[in-house]
Amino acid sequence: MPLDATLLSILACPEDKGPLYYFAADDFLYNPRLGRKYLVRDGIPVMLISESVTVDAVERATLEARIASEGIAPTFR
């Protein structure tokens, strides 16, 4: 179940307060500035810093390439 567009428009990283990128098919939000993923469980984004997942350089490059190639928009600008 994809996240509601209204919810997405206000979601921000709990650490740096910046926008996130939503990977709907993979159920997570991504912060490219910190290289961190926030998982979405049962349609609910888990926005706890302690439960976020830090990605390595290879995955970070892959995600950022997907953002560009798939035209994934930030949660807000």
Side-chain angles (χ1 to χ4, degrees), residues 2-77:
L3 294 179
D4 178 73
T6 303
L7 174 61
L8 279 174
S9 71
I10 62 170
L11 278 177
C13 175
E15 186 167 349
D16 73 3
K17 312 301 186 237
L20 301 165
Y21 291 84
Y22 178 43
F23 289 78
D26 303 302
D27 278 338
F28 67 83
L29 295 138
Y30 174 65
N31 178 337
R33 297 167 307 284
L34 301 176
R36 186 172 293 155
K37 295 191 307 189
Y38 295 92
L39 303 179
V40 177
R41 293 188 189 124
D42 299 322
I44 301 167
V46 180
M47 303 304 294
L48 300 170
I49 296 168
S50 62
E51 291 199 29
S52 66
V53 177
T54 301
V55 299
D56 64 23
V58 173
E59 186 174 7
R60 193 172 188 161
T62 301
L63 292 173
E64 292 177 21
R66 283 184 62 193
I67 289 169
S69 70
E70 297 174 23
I72 299 172
T75 52
F76 63 88
R77 295 182 196 263

